[in-house]
């Protein structure tokens, strides 16, 4: 649901007629990041009054229970893809020595400023590039391949500076950029692990949560931020190094 914060009037009429309406979240990146003053509840979250939800996991269910104005019925469902394209490009790809990485969209400043949210500042092109470069450095150190799915591909919205520097990374034959419309479900569980930018939802597609992490290249994200919804957060390059070392040593 793209407009789930406020329950439309027609839903009340439908429910009186016995129709069961369920809200499903296609993303878990709705929350603001934790700061020194705890959390800022986004506009509309404290007005939720839906009766039924499909949640992604236990942590997501607990959050919905805490903020809802009613006592909802919540059913936990595994995340599913809302779109997919032909993944045949991956048919002959060797995933045995590969890490999957997922970024956040580094919008042009003139575009991101319209959101008026700290999350837009944190997802600036400088931070996203640091995220990619740190992982690229460590993948070269351990002779790992990268399969990289970008969050957005709209060049009119994405920072041109970011796109220019991204090209330098993708020139590396071990750094594979795939179409953003290919669902991560096609390959994420075949990889050694997955590393996601906080808090993109793709981290939750990995069935083995011990092999899925959020990496914060700035060190500014709190390790207990509820926006992770149960995924481990690493906010130090040396700790990321240790994580990869442990993964390939198993």
């Amino acid at each position: 649901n793209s407009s789930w914060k406020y329950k439309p009037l027609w839903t009340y009429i439908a429910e009186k007629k016995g129709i069961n309406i369920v809200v499903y979240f296609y993303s878990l990146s709705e929350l603001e990041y934790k700061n020194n003053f705890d959390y800022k509840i986004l506009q509309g979250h404290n007005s939720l009054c839906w009766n039924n939800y499909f949640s992604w996991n236990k942590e997501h269910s607990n959050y919905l229970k805490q903020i809802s104005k009613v006592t909802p019925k919540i059913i936990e469902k595994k995340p599913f893809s809302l779109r997919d394209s032909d993944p045949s490009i991956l048919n002959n790809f060797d995933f045995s020595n590969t890490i999957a990485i997922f970024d956040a969209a580094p919008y042009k400043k003139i575009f991101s400023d319209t959101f008026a949210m700290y999350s837009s500042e944190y997802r600036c092109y400088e931070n996203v590039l640091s995220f990619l470069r740190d992982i690229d450095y460590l993948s070269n150190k351990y002779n790992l391949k990268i399969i990289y799915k970008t969050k957005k591909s709209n060049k009119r919205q994405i920072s041109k500076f970011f796109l220019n520097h991204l090209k330098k990374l993708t020139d590396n034959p071990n750094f594979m950029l795939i179409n953003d419309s290919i669902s991560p479900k096609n390959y994420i569980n075949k990889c050694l692990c997955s590393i996601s930018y906080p808090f993109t939802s793709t981290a939750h597609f990995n069935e083995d949560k011990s092999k899925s992490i959020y990496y914060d290249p700035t060190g500014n994200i709190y390790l207990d931020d509820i926006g992770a919804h149960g995924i481990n957060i690493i906010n130090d390059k040396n700790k990321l190094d240790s994580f990869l070392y442990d993964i390939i040593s198993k």
Side-chain angles (χ1 to χ4, degrees):
N1 186 19
S2 296
S3 54
W4 52 269
K5 294 177 182 176
Y6 301 101
K7 191 175 178 181
L9 292 177
W10 65 264
T11 61
Y12 294 92
I13 298 173
E15 287 174 337
K16 284 184 178 180
K17 294 183 177 182
I19 297 175
N20 194 32
I21 299 173
V22 182
V23 173
Y24 175 76
F25 295 80
Y26 62 77
S27 171
L28 281 189
S29 57
E30 285 285 343
L31 298 180
E32 271 283 21
Y33 298 106
K34 181 180 180 180
N35 57 37
N36 292 333
F37 305 101
D38 202 23
Y39 294 96
K40 178 183 178 183
I41 301 298
L42 292 185
Q43 182 180 10
H45 277 222
N46 54 4
S47 299
L48 294 181
C49 56
W50 299 88
N51 294 315
N52 304 286
Y53 295 101
F54 286 157
S55 74
W56 286 48
N57 53 35
K58 179 179 66 176
E59 289 79 12
H60 188 208
S61 297
N62 290 337
Y63 175 74
L64 292 173
K65 291 174 184 177
Q66 291 173 9
I67 64 173
S68 182
K69 294 182 69 175
V70 299
T71 303
K73 179 181 179 182
I74 301 175
I75 301 175
E76 292 176 15
K77 296 280 188 178
K78 291 183 178 180
F80 58 83
S81 302
L82 297 181
R83 65 171 182 165
D84 198 2
S85 61
D86 183 10
S88 59
I89 188 176
L90 304 175
N91 285 348
N92 299 318
F93 191 83
D94 180 13
F95 294 94
S96 61
N97 202 39
T98 301
I99 56 178
I101 61 174
F102 307 94
D103 67 2
Y107 292 115
K108 293 178 179 177
K109 186 170 176 53
I110 193 171
F111 184 76
S112 62
D113 282 349
T114 61
F115 297 133
M117 297 166 62
Y118 170 70
S119 58
S120 299
E121 297 178 20
Y122 175 72
R123 295 168 186 170
C124 64
Y125 71 82
E126 295 96 338
N127 289 350
V128 178
L129 278 176
S130 293
F131 168 83
L132 295 175
R133 286 168 175 162
D134 286 353
I135 299 172
D136 181 60
Y137 171 82
L138 292 173
S139 68
N140 289 325
K141 176 180 177 179
Y142 292 114
N143 195 29
L144 300 173
K145 292 182 292 186
I146 287 175
I147 184 167
Y148 165 57
K149 180 179 181 293
T150 185
K151 181 78 171 179
K152 301 283 185 181
S153 59
N154 190 332
K155 294 183 179 180
R156 291 177 296 178
Q157 297 178 350
I158 303 301
S159 163
K160 186 176 181 180
F161 183 90
F162 171 80
L163 293 174
N164 289 337
H165 283 260
L166 177 61
K167 188 178 184 306
K168 296 178 182 178
L169 291 172
T170 55
D171 284 342
N172 182 342
N174 288 329
F175 195 110
M176 182 182 182
L177 173 65
I178 65 169
N179 193 307
D180 68 307
S181 64
I182 296 178
S183 171
K185 278 199 167 184
N186 291 310
Y187 61 90
I188 192 170
N189 291 302
K190 300 176 184 178
C191 296
L192 285 172
C193 64
S194 60
I195 305 175
S196 304
Y197 195 87
F199 288 116
T200 183
S201 305
T202 43
H204 298 272
F205 280 81
N206 199 320
E207 293 177 359
D208 186 348
K209 296 301 183 286
S210 69
K211 295 183 178 181
S212 177
I213 62 162
Y214 284 120
Y215 174 56
D216 163 36
T218 69
N220 292 328
I221 297 297
Y222 285 79
L223 298 182
D224 62 346
D225 195 315
I226 62 173
H229 290 292
I231 299 295
N232 187 35
I233 302 171
I234 291 178
N235 61 2
D236 178 86
K237 187 177 178 180
N238 290 329
K239 292 180 180 178
L240 178 63
D241 190 331
S242 297
F243 169 77
L244 289 175
Y245 178 80
D246 290 342
I247 289 289
I248 63 178
S249 298
K250 290 181 179 179

